[in-house]
Amino acid sequence: MPFKERTEVAEMARRVLNSGPPNSFKTTSLLTWYRPIHIISCPGEKGWETIPVGMEGVHSYVWEIEDPAKVTSASVVAEVDKLILDVLTGKKGPVTTLALDGIHKLYDWDYKRARVELEDATYLNDEQKDIRAYGNPQGGAYKAFLDRLHKVLASTVPYVVCTVWEDPEKDDPQDKSKNAPMHTYPALPGKIAKRIVGEFSVVVYSEVSSPVADLKGEVKGTWQIRPGGKVWGVGVKAPLDIALKLPKHIPQDFPTLERLLKGEK
C-alpha cells in the first residue's frame, strides 16, 4: 500500500534536519537518537572523530580512499547511494535511525558528477555548463540531490536525521544592495537552501554557549526550533495547539524534542 492512515500525532516528526556552524555539536547530538543508529559521514565531511567506536547500537561509516585524485565523482556518488540503500534495506543490520552527516557535501559531489557529464557538450560554454550542472527540478545536481533525499525521507526507517552547515541567505535574492537583509538557512546552493526546510517535518539549528559566559567554563549546546533573530531556516510541523507552546530553544536531545512535539512535558 503506497498510502497509510496516520494514527500517531508525532509520527511525521521523525524526519529532522539539523543545521548549524561547525563545532556546534551537530554530530555529537546524533548519539541522542534512538538505536540502532547508522551514521553515514558524507564524503569530505569532518567531525566523525566525535562518534565513539564500539558503542552498542551505534554504527558509523566513514569514506576513505588512498588516492583521492584517482576517484571519480560518479563513483563516489554511486558508493554513497549503495551504502544508503544497504542501510535502508537492512543489509547492514537492524536500523531505527539513519543519520546522514554533512549533506551539503553530497550536493557538492552531485554537482561535480553533473559537471563532468557536461564536459563534452561543445555547444555550451563553461558558464552554461556550470549553470546546467547546478541544475533545477528537471535535472542536474538539484534533481539528483532531492531525488535521493525524497527516497530516504519516504523510507520505512522509523527515524531519519540529516546535518548540514548554515549560511546567510538574502531575504530578497534580487536585492543587490551592499546591506541587503539576510538570515540564516542551510548551506546549500540557490533556491534549495530555503526549499529544503519544507522537506523535513522538523528543522533545528545548533548553537553553543560561550564558555566565558558560564561560571564553570562549560560549553552547552541548544537547538533553536522556532524562527527568530538571525535564524529563519528552522521550524516544526505540528498541530497548532502544540506549536504555540513550543519554546524557542531546547537542549540538543532528540527524546526531549519528541516529547514536546507530542504535547508531553
Side-chain angles (χ1 to χ4, degrees):
M1 289 181 62
F3 288 91
K4 69 173 184 177
E5 183 179 357
R6 290 182 58 209
T7 58
E8 183 182 345
V9 172
E11 117 183 307
M12 292 308 296
R14 295 182 174 186
R15 272 47 181 155
V16 179
L17 179 65
N18 183 3
S19 70
N23 301 320
S24 57
F25 299 167
K26 296 188 302 298
T27 302
T28 301
S29 71
L30 296 177
L31 298 176
T32 70
W33 255 259
Y34 300 123
R35 303 174 189 177
I37 180 172
H38 293 254
I39 304 172
I40 299 176
S41 296
C42 298
E45 176 65 4
K46 308 299 188 295
W48 47 264
E49 298 92 341
T50 63
I51 304 171
V53 175
M55 180 175 285
E56 184 176 359
V58 177
H59 307 272
S60 176
Y61 307 89
V62 180
W63 184 72
E64 287 186 343
I65 191 70
E66 291 184 2
D67 187 358
K70 296 181 179 180
V71 177
T72 67
S73 52
S75 67
V76 173
V77 171
E79 188 174 345
V80 171
D81 287 342
K82 182 181 184 304
L83 177 56
I84 291 174
L85 182 61
D86 285 350
V87 172
L88 292 178
T89 55
K91 290 184 179 180
K92 293 293 185 178
V95 53
T96 299
T97 303
L98 168 62
L100 299 180
D101 198 17
I103 60 172
H104 51 285
K105 299 290 187 178
L106 277 186
Y107 196 102
D108 291 344
W109 287 108
D110 284 331
Y111 167 75
K112 290 174 184 177
R113 179 182 64 171
R115 186 62 176 80
V116 169
E117 291 173 350
L118 290 167
E119 196 57 45
D120 294 332
T122 55
Y123 56 92
L124 299 172
N125 60 39
D126 286 344
E127 183 178 357
Q128 291 171 325
K129 291 176 182 178
D130 292 343
I131 293 173
R132 288 205 181 186
Y134 275 112
N136 54 50
Q138 284 71 50
Y142 186 112
K143 184 176 187 300
F145 180 82
L146 282 185
D147 282 352
R148 178 190 302 109
L149 185 64
H150 291 159
K151 291 176 183 178
V152 170
L153 297 182
S155 71
T156 58
V157 171
Y159 296 90
V160 174
V161 53
C162 300
T163 72
V164 63
W165 283 357
E166 50 84 44
D167 209 22
E169 288 281 332
K170 289 183 178 179
D171 295 353
D172 180 3
Q174 305 303 318
D175 189 341
K176 306 300 182 183
S177 62
K178 182 179 179 180
N179 297 317
M182 304 178 76
H183 287 85
T184 299
Y185 286 89
L188 292 164
K191 293 181 179 179
I192 201 169
K194 294 182 179 179
R195 290 183 177 177
I196 195 173
V197 174
E199 299 292 338
F200 291 81
S201 51
V202 180
V203 183
V204 301
Y205 180 80
S206 286
E207 296 178 299
V208 292
S209 63
S210 168
V212 177
D214 189 279
L215 295 178
K216 297 180 180 179
E218 297 178 352
V219 177
K220 299 178 181 178
T222 59
W223 283 332
Q224 181 174 333
I225 62 175
R226 297 180 64 173
K230 68 173 184 177
V231 180
W232 282 11
V234 297
V236 172
K237 294 181 176 69
L240 184 60
D241 60 326
I242 293 177
L244 291 175
K245 298 176 183 177
L246 292 175
K248 185 176 179 181
H249 294 91
I250 66 170
Q252 289 191 23
D253 178 71
F254 181 68
T256 298
L257 174 62
E258 189 175 45
R259 285 195 300 270
L260 287 170
L261 297 179
K262 288 182 177 181
E264 302 172 359
K265 295 183 179 179

